[in-house]
Amino acid sequence: MNFAMIGVIVILIMTLTVFGCIFVAVRKAKRAVESFSQEAFGTSDIMEGFRQAEQEYAATPKSVSAMTSLYLPKIKRDFPEFQYDEMKVRAENALTSYLLGVDKMSPGMLKEGNQELQDKLEMRIEMLRAEGHREHFGSIKLHRTEISDYKKRNGRCIITFQTALQYYHTLEDESGKMLDGRSDLLTQAKYNTDVIYIQDRELVEDERDLSLGLNCPNCGAPISGTGSKVCEYCGTPIVELNIYAWIFSNITEVK
């Protein structure tokens, strides 16, 4: 056997050894991945595990800042006739109608809200039109709504409701090409919905809100005190009207 033949055999053995080491390393790595996947996701197929994790995340509602038990007693002291359940339903309806207004490109779908909220919806729709986009919110489902904040400033009393909800969210161009989101995967989200009561018109800075305060149904005088029982000018009872002085002013997604 000449040296050339020996060299070929040595190279062949070394090559087989390298391939053998690679094969063993790959097998070990595969087993490690399968073991990790089995422990983390309950399946040895890591891609299936990631898919299951994605689906589980998409189906898990977001948590809300539940401060109702803290703020509701304070609100009731200021507004004895405040009806929490009714206002919560109104807040959920306002949020749902706002999202449907975006989906249908129709500002008129907003069920209630002041000029500030109406302007915000119209601006969002106009921006979508200018970009040639359509934004869709499909199969909207509400999970939970709680009061998350209550504050007084600039002549306003502001209650913030926070809602956890889900929907199928997509953004498309004029041709229907998907730009963002997935039509087959739920999006979990949460939104803040602000409802305001004009407590003192003289302190209100936004002229769009000057017409929102409560007026006496008898003499027309403005009623500025929260939870007022009667008109201070003519004595007409107005307590039952307090609930209707609240109006929705802002809706924002909480990231």
Side-chain angles (χ1 to χ4, degrees):
M1 184 179 296
N2 57 33
F3 288 107
M5 182 64 69
I6 293 173
V8 170
I9 294 173
V10 170
I11 293 174
L12 180 60
I13 292 173
M14 292 178 63
T15 302
L16 291 174
T17 302
V18 170
F19 277 110
C21 291
I22 292 174
F23 176 78
V24 172
V26 169
R27 289 277 298 184
K28 287 183 177 180
K30 182 180 179 181
R31 287 172 181 169
V33 170
E34 290 176 348
S35 177
F36 168 79
S37 180
Q38 186 68 45
E39 183 176 346
F41 306 119
T43 175
S44 60
D45 186 339
I46 193 167
M47 296 306 297
E48 174 64 18
F50 281 129
R51 189 191 69 80
Q52 291 178 5
E54 181 184 52
Q55 292 288 342
E56 183 177 351
Y57 178 79
T60 303
K62 289 194 172 184
S63 60
V64 299
S65 177
M67 305 295 288
T68 304
S69 61
L70 174 64
Y71 288 123
L72 187 55
K74 297 179 181 180
I75 297 170
K76 295 288 285 185
R77 282 197 297 268
D78 290 339
F79 302 91
E81 302 304 316
F82 182 84
Q83 300 296 320
Y84 169 70
D85 291 335
E86 177 183 341
M87 191 62 70
K88 183 172 74 169
V89 171
R90 286 177 59 190
E92 292 177 338
N93 288 340
L95 171 58
T96 302
S97 65
Y98 180 88
L99 295 177
L100 290 176
V102 176
D103 180 85
K104 302 298 183 184
M105 305 283 276
S106 174
M109 296 198 70
L110 184 62
K111 292 189 177 298
E112 59 175 316
N114 65 358
Q115 192 61 48
E116 181 181 357
L117 183 56
Q118 293 172 13
D119 290 346
K120 181 176 181 177
L121 176 57
E122 290 176 3
M123 184 178 299
R124 182 165 176 174
I125 292 173
E126 287 305 314
M127 288 180 62
L128 287 169
R129 285 201 178 104
E131 295 170 349
H133 294 165
R134 290 294 301 269
E135 189 173 11
H136 295 291
F137 295 90
S139 302
I140 298 172
K141 179 182 178 181
L142 306 179
H143 295 301
R144 183 182 182 186
T145 299
E146 296 283 351
I147 294 174
S148 65
D149 196 13
Y150 175 54
K151 53 184 175 285
K152 304 175 186 179
R153 67 184 184 192
N154 300 330
R156 301 177 175 191
C157 296
I158 307 172
I159 300 174
T160 300
F161 287 91
Q162 191 167 101
T163 301
L165 69 163
Q166 68 181 34
Y167 43 60
Y168 291 99
H169 177 251
T170 59
L171 182 67
E172 303 172 356
D173 63 14
E174 293 177 326
S175 66
K177 179 183 177 181
M178 194 81 68
L179 303 175
D180 191 24
R182 287 176 56 177
S183 60
D184 64 337
L185 189 68
L186 283 169
T187 296
Q188 299 294 332
K190 59 182 176 181
Y191 285 77
N192 284 344
T193 302
D194 291 340
V195 57
I196 67 172
Y197 181 98
I198 303 303
Q199 183 180 13
D200 189 341
R201 298 185 194 193
E202 294 182 359
L203 297 179
V204 174
E205 298 174 353
D206 194 333
E207 293 184 359
R208 293 173 296 183
D209 289 337
L210 290 177
S211 62
L212 296 180
L214 184 64
N215 290 81
C216 173
N218 182 49
C219 70
I223 298 168
S224 59
T226 60
S228 297
K229 298 294 184 181
V230 296
C231 172
E232 60 185 278
Y233 296 95
C234 69
T236 299
I238 50 85
V239 64
E240 69 277 4
L241 299 178
N242 275 335
I243 188 65
Y244 301 109
W246 293 92
I247 190 164
F248 297 95
S249 64
N250 193 31
I251 293 175
T252 54
E253 184 176 3
V254 181
K255 296 296 187 178

